[in-house]
Amino acid sequence: MIYLTVCLLCILGVELFIRLPFRRYIVALGHVSKKSVRVVTSSGISDHWKEKALQRYSRDMALASLRIGFLLVVMGLLIGIAAYLCDLLLPSGGSILEFISSGSGISVAIIVSCVYVFVRNKLGAP
């Protein structure tokens, strides 16, 4: 029963990751990083303007990183709450959170998540 619950929690986690706007912030972080590298390597921009631009780019990268971190915390909290509720409602003989934290639980979670993403992509789910 604990394996089935972990599988369902993994599917929930994958769907949350897909549905939350991670991609938008990761792409934004990549764009700002490329712009900052372009500014640093440019010989036509004075050091004064490089300092001004890099301050802005640093701020933008920090905000995008914080947003990604916030989304990860929200996702972790939602999965943690779901696991806690499953512990309360389902008599599985052990704590799901303890199992997920163990080496075998992490292995099961990785395998189930990868298989789910592969099957989801093959079926052409949006």
Side-chain angles (χ1 to χ4, degrees):
M1 183 69 164
I2 198 163
Y3 285 98
L4 177 64
T5 308
V6 169
C7 291
L8 293 175
L9 288 173
C10 288
I11 291 170
L12 172 70
V14 169
E15 288 297 326
L16 279 173
F17 187 80
I18 291 169
R19 303 249 188 276
L20 290 173
F22 280 103
R23 182 175 294 187
R24 176 178 18 160
Y25 298 125
I26 292 170
V27 168
L29 190 60
H31 285 307
V32 174
S33 297
K34 286 180 187 175
K35 289 195 304 190
S36 65
V37 168
R38 207 173 304 129
V39 166
V40 168
T41 59
S42 174
S43 61
I45 301 174
S46 70
D47 287 344
H48 172 74
W49 289 111
K50 284 182 184 181
E51 289 176 14
K52 297 280 186 189
L54 288 178
Q55 287 177 356
R56 171 66 189 247
Y57 294 155
S58 297
R59 183 186 67 92
D60 292 345
M61 284 191 274
L63 286 175
S65 298
L66 286 173
R67 288 178 179 140
I68 292 169
F70 175 74
L71 289 175
L72 285 171
V73 168
V74 167
M75 193 173 98
L77 283 174
L78 290 174
I79 293 171
I81 291 169
Y84 180 73
L85 290 175
C86 288
D87 273 344
L88 290 177
L89 300 174
L90 302 172
S92 61
S95 172
I96 293 169
L97 293 173
E98 285 179 21
F99 178 73
I100 290 176
S101 300
S102 69
S104 59
I106 292 171
S107 300
V108 168
I110 290 171
I111 291 168
V112 168
S113 298
C114 289
V115 168
Y116 178 72
V117 168
F118 179 76
V119 169
R120 189 179 189 284
N121 287 338
K122 285 296 180 186
L123 294 177

